[in-house]
Amino acid sequence: MDEWTPATKDEVLRAVRAETSEYDIGPWQHMLIDPIKRGVERFGSVEDAFVVARGPDRVVYYDDIEDEFGTATETEKILIDFRSYGPLLVALKEAAVGG
């Protein structure tokens, strides 16, 4: 069994490209950003995650442990109130409506 290692920015970009080639994200394309690393608190420790898109109130991040996309609220230090959705398209739609 391979040991898990955190995703690199290049791996996150590949995951985003794979999703954008599979699904039409046209109306939400403008939300995508160059991935930036942010902390996310899980199970009492802070781990890294990559933010890949910004909505009005929430960001879309890539969860490399679950290999899926989700939304979160971004604070100055970490991502909080994170929710997993799976496909990038679903996370973009959720981030676009905010809340």
Side-chain angles (χ1 to χ4, degrees):
M1 182 174 178
D2 292 332
E3 185 175 324
W4 177 86
T5 57
T8 65
K9 183 176 178 178
D10 286 339
E11 290 169 332
V12 172
L13 284 168
R14 278 194 294 276
V16 169
R17 278 194 296 269
E19 293 272 328
T20 58
S21 68
E22 186 173 341
Y23 302 104
D24 177 17
I25 64 160
W28 302 279
Q29 181 77 35
H30 70 281
M31 295 170 57
L32 294 177
I33 63 169
D34 189 40
I36 54 173
K37 198 179 282 191
R38 292 289 186 256
V40 61
E41 187 174 344
R42 283 192 255 232
F43 310 112
S45 65
V46 176
E47 301 171 3
D48 288 333
F50 280 93
V51 172
V52 299
R54 294 191 185 284
D57 301 320
R58 296 183 68 76
V59 297
V60 175
Y61 72 97
Y62 178 69
D63 183 339
D64 61 354
I65 293 173
E66 300 295 331
D67 192 27
E68 63 186 13
F69 294 89
T71 66
T73 301
E74 187 174 32
T75 70
E76 287 183 30
K77 297 185 181 202
I78 63 171
L79 302 179
I80 60 171
D81 186 29
F82 54 96
R83 304 170 193 160
S84 293
Y85 294 103
L88 176 61
L89 177 61
V90 177
L92 286 169
K93 288 179 180 180
E94 289 297 318
V97 297

Coordinates of all heavy atoms in Angstrom, one line a residue:
M1 N 0.9 -1.2 0.0 CA 0.0 0.0 0.0 C 0.9 1.2 0.0 O 1.8 1.3 0.8 CB -0.9 0.0 1.2 CG -1.8 1.1 1.3 SD -3.0 0.8 2.7 CE -3.9 2.3 2.7
D2 N 0.6 2.2 -0.9 CA 1.4 3.4 -1.0 C 1.0 4.3 0.2 O -0.1 4.4 0.7 CB 1.0 4.2 -2.3 CG 1.5 3.4 -3.5 OD1 2.5 2.7 -3.4 OD2 0.9 3.6 -4.5
E3 N 2.1 5.0 0.7 CA 1.9 6.0 1.7 C 1.3 7.3 1.1 O 1.8 7.7 0.1 CB 3.2 6.3 2.4 CG 3.1 7.2 3.6 CD 4.4 7.3 4.4 OE1 5.2 6.4 4.4 OE2 4.6 8.5 4.9
W4 N 0.3 7.9 1.8 CA -0.3 9.1 1.3 C 0.6 10.3 1.5 O 1.3 10.4 2.5 CB -1.6 9.3 2.1 CG -2.3 10.6 1.7 CD1 -3.1 10.8 0.7 CD2 -2.1 11.9 2.3 NE1 -3.5 12.1 0.6 CE2 -2.9 12.8 1.6 CE3 -1.3 12.4 3.4 CZ2 -2.9 14.2 1.9 CZ3 -1.4 13.7 3.7 CH2 -2.2 14.6 3.0
T5 N 0.7 11.1 0.5 CA 1.4 12.4 0.6 C 0.5 13.5 0.1 O -0.3 13.3 -0.8 CB 2.7 12.3 -0.3 OG1 2.3 12.1 -1.6 CG2 3.7 11.3 0.2
P6 N 0.7 14.7 0.6 CA -0.2 15.8 0.2 C 0.0 16.1 -1.2 O 1.0 15.9 -1.8 CB 0.3 17.0 1.1 CG 1.1 16.4 2.2 CD 1.6 15.1 1.7
A7 N -1.1 16.5 -1.8 CA -1.1 16.9 -3.3 C -0.2 18.1 -3.5 O -0.2 19.0 -2.7 CB -2.5 17.2 -3.8
T8 N 0.4 18.1 -4.6 CA 1.2 19.3 -5.1 C 0.2 20.2 -5.9 O -0.8 19.8 -6.3 CB 2.4 18.9 -5.9 OG1 1.8 18.3 -7.2 CG2 3.3 17.9 -5.2
K9 N 0.7 21.4 -6.1 CA -0.1 22.4 -6.9 C -0.3 21.8 -8.3 O -1.4 21.9 -8.8 CB 0.6 23.7 -7.0 CG -0.1 24.8 -7.8 CD 0.6 26.1 -7.7 CE -0.1 27.1 -8.5 NZ 0.6 28.4 -8.5
D10 N 0.7 21.2 -8.9 CA 0.5 20.6 -10.2 C -0.5 19.5 -10.2 O -1.3 19.3 -11.2 CB 1.9 20.0 -10.7 CG 2.8 21.1 -11.2 OD1 2.4 22.2 -11.5 OD2 4.0 20.8 -11.2
E11 N -0.6 18.6 -9.2 CA -1.6 17.6 -9.1 C -3.0 18.2 -9.0 O -3.9 17.7 -9.5 CB -1.3 16.7 -7.9 CG -0.1 15.8 -8.1 CD 0.4 15.1 -6.9 OE1 0.2 15.6 -5.7 OE2 1.0 14.0 -7.0
V12 N -3.1 19.3 -8.2 CA -4.4 20.0 -8.1 C -4.8 20.5 -9.4 O -6.0 20.4 -9.8 CB -4.3 21.0 -7.0 CG1 -5.6 21.9 -6.9 CG2 -4.1 20.4 -5.6
L13 N -3.9 21.2 -10.1 CA -4.2 21.7 -11.4 C -4.7 20.6 -12.4 O -5.6 20.8 -13.2 CB -3.0 22.4 -12.0 CG -2.7 23.8 -11.5 CD1 -1.3 24.3 -11.9 CD2 -3.8 24.8 -11.8
R14 N -4.0 19.4 -12.3 CA -4.5 18.3 -13.2 C -5.9 17.9 -12.8 O -6.7 17.5 -13.6 CB -3.5 17.1 -13.0 CG -2.3 17.3 -13.9 CD -1.5 16.0 -14.0 NE -0.9 15.5 -12.8 CZ 0.3 16.0 -12.3 NH1 0.9 16.9 -13.0 NH2 0.8 15.5 -11.2
A15 N -6.2 17.8 -11.5 CA -7.6 17.5 -11.0 C -8.6 18.5 -11.5 O -9.7 18.1 -12.0 CB -7.6 17.4 -9.5
V16 N -8.3 19.8 -11.5 CA -9.2 20.8 -12.0 C -9.4 20.6 -13.5 O -10.5 20.7 -14.0 CB -8.7 22.2 -11.6 CG1 -9.4 23.3 -12.4 CG2 -8.7 22.4 -10.1
R17 N -8.3 20.4 -14.2 CA -8.4 20.3 -15.7 C -9.2 19.0 -16.0 O -10.0 19.1 -17.0 CB -7.0 20.2 -16.3 CG -6.3 21.5 -16.5 CD -5.1 21.4 -17.4 NE -4.0 20.6 -16.9 CZ -3.0 21.1 -16.1 NH1 -3.0 22.4 -15.9 NH2 -2.1 20.3 -15.7
A18 N -9.0 18.0 -15.3 CA -9.8 16.7 -15.6 C -11.3 17.0 -15.4 O -12.1 16.6 -16.2 CB -9.4 15.6 -14.7
E19 N -11.6 17.7 -14.4 CA -13.1 18.1 -14.1 C -13.6 19.0 -15.1 O -14.7 18.9 -15.6 CB -13.2 18.6 -12.7 CG -12.9 17.7 -11.6 CD -14.1 16.9 -11.2 OE1 -15.3 17.4 -11.2 OE2 -13.9 15.7 -10.8
T20 N -12.8 20.0 -15.5 CA -13.3 21.0 -16.5 C -13.4 20.5 -17.9 O -14.2 21.0 -18.7 CB -12.5 22.3 -16.5 OG1 -11.1 22.0 -16.8 CG2 -12.5 23.0 -15.1
S21 N -12.7 19.4 -18.2 CA -12.8 18.8 -19.5 C -14.0 17.8 -19.5 O -14.5 17.5 -20.6 CB -11.5 18.0 -19.9 OG -11.3 16.9 -19.1
E22 N -14.4 17.3 -18.3 CA -15.5 16.4 -18.3 C -16.9 17.1 -18.1 O -17.9 16.6 -18.7 CB -15.3 15.5 -17.0 CG -16.4 14.4 -17.0 CD -16.1 13.4 -15.8 OE1 -14.9 13.3 -15.4 OE2 -17.0 12.7 -15.5
Y23 N -16.9 18.2 -17.5 CA -18.2 19.0 -17.2 C -18.1 20.4 -17.8 O -17.0 21.0 -17.8 CB -18.5 19.1 -15.7 CG -18.5 17.8 -15.0 CD1 -17.5 17.3 -14.2 CD2 -19.6 17.0 -15.1 CE1 -17.5 16.1 -13.6 CE2 -19.7 15.8 -14.4 CZ -18.6 15.3 -13.7 OH -18.7 14.1 -13.0
D24 N -19.2 20.9 -18.3 CA -19.3 22.3 -18.8 C -19.4 23.2 -17.6 O -20.5 23.3 -17.0 CB -20.5 22.4 -19.7 CG -20.6 23.8 -20.2 OD1 -19.7 24.6 -20.1 OD2 -21.7 24.2 -20.7
I25 N -18.4 23.9 -17.2 CA -18.4 24.8 -16.1 C -18.5 26.3 -16.6 O -18.3 27.2 -15.8 CB -17.3 24.6 -15.1 CG1 -15.9 25.0 -15.8 CG2 -17.2 23.2 -14.6 CD1 -14.8 25.3 -14.9
G26 N -18.9 26.5 -17.8 CA -18.9 27.8 -18.5 C -19.4 28.9 -17.6 O -18.7 29.9 -17.4
P27 N -20.6 28.9 -17.0 CA -21.1 30.0 -16.2 C -20.3 30.2 -14.9 O -20.4 31.3 -14.3 CB -22.5 29.5 -15.8 CG -22.9 28.5 -16.8 CD -21.6 27.8 -17.2
W28 N -19.4 29.3 -14.5 CA -18.7 29.4 -13.3 C -17.2 29.5 -13.5 O -16.4 29.6 -12.6 CB -19.0 28.2 -12.4 CG -20.5 28.2 -12.1 CD1 -21.2 28.9 -11.1 CD2 -21.4 27.4 -12.7 NE1 -22.5 28.6 -11.2 CE2 -22.7 27.6 -12.2 CE3 -21.3 26.4 -13.7 CZ2 -23.9 27.0 -12.6 CZ3 -22.5 25.8 -14.1 CH2 -23.7 26.1 -13.6
Q29 N -16.8 29.5 -14.8 CA -15.4 29.5 -15.2 C -14.7 30.7 -14.6 O -13.5 30.6 -14.1 CB -15.3 29.6 -16.7 CG -13.8 29.6 -17.2 CD -13.2 28.3 -17.2 OE1 -13.8 27.3 -17.4 NE2 -11.9 28.2 -17.0
H30 N -15.3 31.9 -14.5 CA -14.7 33.1 -13.9 C -14.3 33.0 -12.5 O -13.5 33.8 -12.0 CB -15.7 34.3 -14.1 CG -16.9 34.2 -13.2 ND1 -18.0 33.4 -13.5 CD2 -17.2 34.8 -12.0 CE1 -18.9 33.5 -12.6 NE2 -18.4 34.4 -11.7
M31 N -14.9 32.0 -11.8 CA -14.6 31.8 -10.4 C -13.2 31.1 -10.1 O -12.6 31.3 -9.0 CB -15.7 31.0 -9.7 CG -17.0 31.7 -9.6 SD -18.3 30.6 -9.1 CE -17.8 30.1 -7.5
L32 N -12.7 30.4 -11.1 CA -11.5 29.7 -11.0 C -10.3 30.6 -10.8 O -10.2 31.7 -11.4 CB -11.2 28.8 -12.2 CG -12.2 27.6 -12.4 CD1 -11.8 26.9 -13.7 CD2 -12.2 26.7 -11.2
I33 N -9.4 30.2 -9.9 CA -8.1 31.0 -9.6 C -7.0 30.0 -9.7 O -7.1 28.8 -9.7 CB -8.2 31.6 -8.2 CG1 -8.2 30.6 -7.1 CG2 -9.3 32.6 -8.1 CD1 -8.0 31.1 -5.7
D34 N -5.8 30.6 -9.8 CA -4.6 29.8 -9.7 C -4.6 29.2 -8.3 O -4.7 30.0 -7.3 CB -3.3 30.7 -9.9 CG -2.1 29.9 -10.1 OD1 -2.1 28.8 -10.7 OD2 -1.1 30.3 -9.5
P35 N -4.5 27.9 -8.1 CA -4.6 27.3 -6.8 C -3.6 27.9 -5.8 O -2.4 28.2 -6.1 CB -4.2 25.8 -7.0 CG -4.6 25.6 -8.4 CD -4.2 26.9 -9.1
I36 N -4.1 28.2 -4.6 CA -3.3 28.8 -3.5 C -3.5 27.9 -2.3 O -4.6 27.4 -2.0 CB -3.6 30.2 -3.2 CG1 -5.1 30.4 -2.9 CG2 -3.2 31.2 -4.3 CD1 -5.5 31.8 -2.4
K37 N -2.4 27.7 -1.6 CA -2.4 26.8 -0.4 C -3.0 27.5 0.8 O -2.6 28.7 1.1 CB -1.0 26.3 -0.1 CG -1.0 25.1 0.8 CD 0.5 24.6 1.0 CE 1.0 23.9 -0.2 NZ 2.3 23.2 0.1
R38 N -3.9 26.9 1.5 CA -4.5 27.4 2.8 C -4.6 26.2 3.8 O -4.7 25.1 3.4 CB -5.9 27.9 2.5 CG -6.0 29.2 1.7 CD -5.4 30.4 2.5 NE -5.6 31.6 1.8 CZ -4.6 32.2 1.1 NH1 -3.4 31.7 1.1 NH2 -4.8 33.4 0.5
G39 N -4.6 26.6 5.0 CA -4.7 25.6 6.1 C -6.2 25.2 6.3 O -7.1 26.1 6.1
V40 N -6.4 24.0 6.7 CA -7.8 23.5 7.0 C -7.6 22.7 8.2 O -6.8 21.8 8.3 CB -8.5 22.8 5.8 CG1 -7.7 21.5 5.4 CG2 -9.9 22.4 6.1
E41 N -8.5 22.9 9.2 CA -8.4 22.2 10.5 C -9.2 20.9 10.3 O -10.4 20.9 10.0 CB -8.9 23.0 11.6 CG -8.7 22.3 13.0 CD -9.1 23.2 14.1 OE1 -9.3 24.4 14.0 OE2 -9.2 22.6 15.2
R42 N -8.5 19.8 10.6 CA -9.2 18.5 10.5 C -8.7 17.7 11.7 O -7.5 17.5 11.9 CB -8.8 17.7 9.3 CG -9.5 18.2 8.0 CD -9.3 17.1 7.0 NE -8.3 17.6 6.0 CZ -8.5 17.6 4.7 NH1 -9.6 17.2 4.2 NH2 -7.6 18.1 3.9
F43 N -9.6 17.1 12.4 CA -9.3 16.2 13.5 C -8.3 16.8 14.5 O -7.4 16.1 14.9 CB -8.8 14.9 13.0 CG -9.8 14.3 11.9 CD1 -9.4 14.2 10.6 CD2 -11.1 13.9 12.3 CE1 -10.2 13.7 9.6 CE2 -11.9 13.4 11.3 CZ -11.5 13.3 10.0
G44 N -8.4 18.1 14.8 CA -7.6 18.7 15.8 C -6.2 19.2 15.3 O -5.4 19.7 16.0
S45 N -5.9 19.0 14.0 CA -4.6 19.6 13.5 C -4.9 20.3 12.2 O -5.9 20.1 11.5 CB -3.6 18.4 13.2 OG -4.1 17.6 12.2
V46 N -4.0 21.2 11.8 CA -4.2 22.0 10.6 C -3.4 21.4 9.5 O -2.2 21.1 9.6 CB -3.7 23.5 10.8 CG1 -3.8 24.3 9.6 CG2 -4.6 24.1 11.9
E47 N -4.0 21.1 8.4 CA -3.4 20.5 7.2 C -3.5 21.5 6.1 O -4.3 22.4 6.1 CB -4.1 19.2 6.9 CG -4.1 18.2 8.0 CD -4.9 17.0 7.7 OE1 -5.5 16.9 6.6 OE2 -5.0 16.1 8.6
D48 N -2.8 21.2 5.0 CA -2.9 22.1 3.8 C -4.0 21.6 2.9 O -4.3 20.4 2.7 CB -1.6 22.1 3.1 CG -0.5 22.8 3.8 OD1 -0.8 23.7 4.6 OD2 0.7 22.5 3.6
A49 N -4.6 22.6 2.2 CA -5.6 22.3 1.2 C -5.3 23.4 0.1 O -4.7 24.5 0.4 CB -7.0 22.4 1.7
F50 N -5.8 23.2 -1.1 CA -5.6 24.2 -2.1 C -7.0 24.8 -2.5 O -7.9 24.1 -2.8 CB -5.0 23.6 -3.4 CG -3.5 23.5 -3.3 CD1 -3.0 22.3 -2.9 CD2 -2.7 24.5 -3.7 CE1 -1.6 22.1 -2.9 CE2 -1.3 24.3 -3.7 CZ -0.8 23.1 -3.2
V51 N -7.1 26.1 -2.4 CA -8.3 26.9 -2.9 C -8.1 27.0 -4.4 O -7.1 27.4 -4.9 CB -8.4 28.3 -2.2 CG1 -9.5 29.1 -2.8 CG2 -8.6 28.1 -0.7
V52 N -9.2 26.6 -5.1 CA -9.1 26.6 -6.6 C -10.1 27.6 -7.2 O -10.1 27.8 -8.4 CB -9.3 25.2 -7.2 CG1 -8.2 24.3 -6.7 CG2 -10.7 24.7 -6.8
A53 N -11.1 28.2 -6.4 CA -12.1 29.1 -6.9 C -12.6 29.9 -5.8 O -12.6 29.5 -4.6 CB -13.2 28.3 -7.6
R54 N -13.1 31.1 -6.1 CA -13.7 32.0 -5.1 C -15.2 32.4 -5.6 O -15.4 32.8 -6.7 CB -12.9 33.3 -5.0 CG -11.6 33.1 -4.4 CD -10.9 34.4 -4.1 NE -9.6 34.3 -3.6 CZ -9.2 33.8 -2.4 NH1 -10.1 33.5 -1.6 NH2 -8.0 33.7 -2.1
G55 N -16.1 32.2 -4.6 CA -17.4 32.7 -4.8 C -17.6 34.0 -3.9 O -16.7 34.5 -3.3
P56 N -18.8 34.5 -3.8 CA -19.1 35.7 -3.1 C -18.7 35.5 -1.6 O -18.2 36.4 -1.0 CB -20.6 36.0 -3.3 CG -21.1 35.0 -4.2 CD -20.0 34.0 -4.5
D57 N -19.1 34.4 -1.0 CA -18.9 34.2 0.4 C -18.1 32.9 0.8 O -17.6 32.8 1.9 CB -20.2 34.0 1.2 CG -21.1 35.3 1.0 OD1 -20.6 36.4 1.0 OD2 -22.3 35.1 0.8
R58 N -17.9 32.1 -0.2 CA -17.2 30.8 0.1 C -16.2 30.5 -1.0 O -16.3 31.1 -2.1 CB -18.3 29.6 0.1 CG -19.2 29.8 1.3 CD -20.2 28.6 1.4 NE -19.6 27.4 1.7 CZ -19.2 27.0 3.0 NH1 -19.3 27.9 4.0 NH2 -18.7 25.8 3.2
V59 N -15.2 29.7 -0.7 CA -14.2 29.3 -1.7 C -14.4 27.8 -2.0 O -15.0 27.1 -1.2 CB -12.8 29.6 -1.1 CG1 -12.5 31.1 -0.9 CG2 -12.5 28.8 0.1
V60 N -13.9 27.4 -3.1 CA -13.9 26.0 -3.5 C -12.4 25.5 -3.2 O -11.5 26.2 -3.7 CB -14.3 25.8 -5.0 CG1 -14.1 24.4 -5.4 CG2 -15.7 26.3 -5.2
Y61 N -12.3 24.4 -2.6 CA -11.0 23.8 -2.3 C -11.0 22.4 -2.8 O -12.0 21.7 -3.0 CB -10.7 23.9 -0.8 CG -11.5 22.9 0.0 CD1 -10.9 21.7 0.4 CD2 -12.8 23.2 0.5 CE1 -11.7 20.8 1.2 CE2 -13.5 22.3 1.2 CZ -13.0 21.1 1.6 OH -13.7 20.2 2.3
Y62 N -9.8 21.9 -3.0 CA -9.6 20.5 -3.4 C -9.1 19.7 -2.1 O -8.2 20.0 -1.5 CB -8.5 20.4 -4.5 CG -8.2 19.0 -4.9 CD1 -9.2 18.2 -5.6 CD2 -7.0 18.4 -4.6 CE1 -8.9 16.9 -5.9 CE2 -6.7 17.1 -4.9 CZ -7.7 16.4 -5.6 OH -7.5 15.1 -6.0
D63 N -9.9 18.7 -1.8 CA -9.6 17.8 -0.7 C -8.8 16.6 -1.2 O -9.3 15.7 -1.8 CB -10.9 17.3 -0.1 CG -10.7 16.5 1.2 OD1 -9.6 15.9 1.3 OD2 -11.6 16.4 2.0
D64 N -7.5 16.6 -1.0 CA -6.7 15.6 -1.6 C -6.7 14.3 -0.8 O -6.3 13.2 -1.3 CB -5.2 16.0 -1.7 CG -4.5 16.4 -0.4 OD1 -5.2 16.5 0.6 OD2 -3.3 16.7 -0.5
I65 N -7.3 14.3 0.4 CA -7.5 13.0 1.1 C -8.7 12.3 0.5 O -8.6 11.1 0.3 CB -7.7 13.3 2.6 CG1 -6.4 13.9 3.2 CG2 -8.2 12.0 3.3 CD1 -6.6 14.3 4.7
E66 N -9.7 13.0 0.2 CA -10.9 12.3 -0.4 C -11.0 12.4 -1.9 O -11.8 11.8 -2.5 CB -12.2 13.0 0.2 CG -12.3 12.9 1.7 CD -12.5 11.5 2.2 OE1 -13.1 10.6 1.5 OE2 -12.1 11.2 3.3
D67 N -10.0 13.1 -2.5 CA -10.0 13.3 -3.9 C -11.3 13.9 -4.5 O -11.9 13.3 -5.4 CB -9.6 12.0 -4.6 CG -9.2 12.2 -6.1 OD1 -8.8 13.3 -6.5 OD2 -9.5 11.3 -6.9
E68 N -11.7 15.0 -3.8 CA -12.9 15.6 -4.3 C -12.9 17.1 -3.9 O -11.9 17.6 -3.3 CB -14.1 15.0 -3.6 CG -14.1 15.2 -2.0 CD -15.3 14.4 -1.4 OE1 -15.9 13.6 -2.0 OE2 -15.5 14.7 -0.2
F69 N -13.9 17.8 -4.4 CA -13.9 19.3 -4.2 C -15.0 19.6 -3.2 O -16.0 18.9 -3.1 CB -14.2 20.0 -5.5 CG -13.1 19.8 -6.5 CD1 -13.0 18.8 -7.4 CD2 -12.1 20.8 -6.6 CE1 -12.0 18.6 -8.3 CE2 -11.0 20.6 -7.5 CZ -11.0 19.5 -8.3
G70 N -14.8 20.7 -2.5 CA -15.8 21.2 -1.5 C -15.7 22.7 -1.4 O -15.0 23.4 -2.1
T71 N -16.5 23.2 -0.5 CA -16.6 24.7 -0.3 C -16.2 24.9 1.2 O -16.4 24.0 2.1 CB -17.9 25.3 -0.6 OG1 -18.9 24.8 0.3 CG2 -18.3 25.1 -2.0
A72 N -15.7 26.1 1.5 CA -15.4 26.5 2.8 C -15.5 28.0 2.9 O -15.5 28.7 1.9 CB -14.0 26.0 3.2
T73 N -15.5 28.5 4.2 CA -15.3 29.9 4.4 C -13.9 30.2 4.7 O -13.2 29.4 5.5 CB -16.2 30.3 5.7 OG1 -17.6 30.0 5.4 CG2 -16.1 31.8 6.0
E74 N -13.3 31.2 4.1 CA -11.9 31.5 4.3 C -11.7 32.6 5.4 O -12.4 33.7 5.3 CB -11.3 32.0 3.0 CG -9.9 32.2 3.0 CD -9.4 32.5 1.6 OE1 -10.1 33.1 0.8 OE2 -8.2 32.1 1.3
T75 N -11.0 32.3 6.4 CA -10.6 33.3 7.4 C -9.2 33.8 7.0 O -8.5 33.3 6.1 CB -10.6 32.8 8.8 OG1 -9.6 31.8 9.0 CG2 -12.0 32.1 9.1
E76 N -8.6 34.7 7.8 CA -7.2 35.1 7.6 C -6.2 34.0 7.7 O -5.2 34.0 7.1 CB -6.8 36.2 8.6 CG -7.5 37.5 8.4 CD -7.0 38.6 9.3 OE1 -5.9 38.5 9.8 OE2 -7.9 39.5 9.6
K77 N -6.5 33.0 8.5 CA -5.6 31.9 8.8 C -5.9 30.6 8.2 O -5.0 29.9 7.7 CB -5.4 31.8 10.3 CG -4.8 33.0 10.9 CD -4.5 32.8 12.4 CE -4.0 34.1 13.0 NZ -3.2 33.9 14.1
I78 N -7.2 30.2 8.2 CA -7.5 28.8 7.8 C -8.9 28.8 7.1 O -9.7 29.8 7.1 CB -7.6 27.8 9.0 CG1 -8.7 28.2 10.0 CG2 -6.2 27.7 9.6 CD1 -8.9 27.2 11.1
L79 N -9.2 27.7 6.5 CA -10.6 27.5 6.0 C -11.4 26.8 7.1 O -10.9 26.0 7.8 CB -10.5 26.5 4.8 CG -9.6 26.9 3.6 CD1 -9.7 25.8 2.5 CD2 -10.0 28.2 3.0
I80 N -12.6 27.3 7.2 CA -13.5 26.8 8.2 C -14.9 26.4 7.6 O -15.1 26.8 6.4 CB -13.8 27.8 9.4 CG1 -14.4 29.1 8.9 CG2 -12.5 28.0 10.1 CD1 -14.8 30.0 10.0
D81 N -15.7 25.8 8.3 CA -17.0 25.4 7.8 C -17.0 24.8 6.5 O -17.7 25.2 5.5 CB -17.9 26.7 7.8 CG -19.4 26.3 7.5 OD1 -19.8 25.2 7.8 OD2 -20.1 27.2 6.9
F82 N -16.1 23.8 6.3 CA -15.9 23.2 5.0 C -16.9 22.0 4.8 O -17.3 21.4 5.7 CB -14.5 22.7 4.8 CG -13.9 21.8 5.8 CD1 -13.9 20.4 5.7 CD2 -13.3 22.3 7.0 CE1 -13.4 19.6 6.6 CE2 -12.8 21.5 7.9 CZ -12.8 20.1 7.8
R83 N -17.3 21.9 3.5 CA -18.3 20.9 3.1 C -17.8 20.3 1.9 O -17.3 20.9 1.0 CB -19.6 21.6 2.8 CG -20.2 22.4 4.0 CD -21.4 23.2 3.6 NE -21.7 24.2 4.6 CZ -22.4 25.3 4.5 NH1 -22.9 25.5 3.3 NH2 -22.6 26.1 5.5
S84 N -17.9 19.0 1.8 CA -17.4 18.2 0.6 C -18.6 18.0 -0.3 O -19.7 17.6 0.1 CB -16.8 16.9 1.0 OG -15.6 17.2 1.7
Y85 N -18.4 18.1 -1.6 CA -19.4 17.8 -2.6 C -19.0 16.8 -3.6 O -19.9 16.2 -4.3 CB -19.8 19.1 -3.3 CG -20.4 20.1 -2.4 CD1 -19.7 21.2 -1.9 CD2 -21.7 19.9 -2.0 CE1 -20.3 22.1 -1.0 CE2 -22.3 20.8 -1.1 CZ -21.6 21.9 -0.6 OH -22.2 22.8 0.3
G86 N -17.8 16.6 -3.9 CA -17.3 15.6 -4.9 C -16.9 16.3 -6.1 O -15.8 16.9 -6.2
P87 N -17.7 16.4 -7.2 CA -17.3 17.0 -8.4 C -17.1 18.6 -8.3 O -17.8 19.2 -7.5 CB -18.5 16.8 -9.4 CG -19.2 15.6 -8.8 CD -19.0 15.7 -7.3
L88 N -16.2 19.1 -9.0 CA -15.9 20.5 -9.0 C -17.1 21.3 -9.4 O -17.4 22.3 -8.8 CB -14.8 20.8 -10.0 CG -14.4 22.3 -10.2 CD1 -13.9 22.9 -9.0 CD2 -13.4 22.4 -11.3
L89 N -17.9 20.9 -10.4 CA -19.1 21.6 -10.8 C -20.1 21.8 -9.7 O -20.6 22.9 -9.5 CB -19.8 20.8 -12.0 CG -21.1 21.4 -12.5 CD1 -20.8 22.8 -13.1 CD2 -21.7 20.5 -13.6
V90 N -20.3 20.8 -8.9 CA -21.2 21.0 -7.8 C -20.7 22.0 -6.8 O -21.4 22.8 -6.3 CB -21.5 19.6 -7.1 CG1 -22.4 19.7 -5.9 CG2 -22.1 18.6 -8.1
A91 N -19.4 21.9 -6.4 CA -18.8 22.8 -5.5 C -18.9 24.3 -6.0 O -19.2 25.2 -5.3 CB -17.4 22.4 -5.2
L92 N -18.6 24.4 -7.3 CA -18.7 25.8 -7.9 C -20.1 26.3 -7.8 O -20.3 27.5 -7.5 CB -18.3 25.7 -9.4 CG -16.8 25.6 -9.6 CD1 -16.5 25.3 -11.1 CD2 -16.0 26.8 -9.2
K93 N -21.1 25.5 -8.1 CA -22.5 26.0 -8.0 C -22.8 26.4 -6.6 O -23.5 27.4 -6.3 CB -23.5 24.9 -8.5 CG -23.5 24.7 -9.9 CD -24.4 23.5 -10.3 CE -24.5 23.3 -11.8 NZ -25.4 22.2 -12.1
E94 N -22.4 25.6 -5.6 CA -22.6 25.9 -4.2 C -21.9 27.2 -3.8 O -22.5 28.0 -3.1 CB -22.2 24.8 -3.3 CG -23.1 23.6 -3.4 CD -24.5 23.8 -3.0 OE1 -24.8 24.5 -1.9 OE2 -25.5 23.4 -3.6
A95 N -20.7 27.4 -4.2 CA -19.9 28.6 -3.8 C -20.5 29.8 -4.5 O -20.5 30.9 -4.0 CB -18.5 28.4 -4.2
A96 N -21.1 29.7 -5.7 CA -21.6 30.8 -6.4 C -22.9 31.4 -5.7 O -23.1 32.6 -5.8 CB -22.0 30.4 -7.8
V97 N -23.6 30.5 -5.1 CA -24.8 31.0 -4.4 C -24.5 31.6 -3.0 O -25.3 32.2 -2.4 CB -26.0 30.0 -4.3 CG1 -26.4 29.6 -5.7 CG2 -25.6 28.8 -3.6
G98 N -23.3 31.2 -2.5 CA -22.9 31.7 -1.1 C -23.7 31.0 0.0 O -24.4 30.1 -0.2
G99 N -23.4 31.5 1.2 CA -24.1 31.1 2.4 C -23.7 29.9 2.9 O -23.3 28.9 3.2

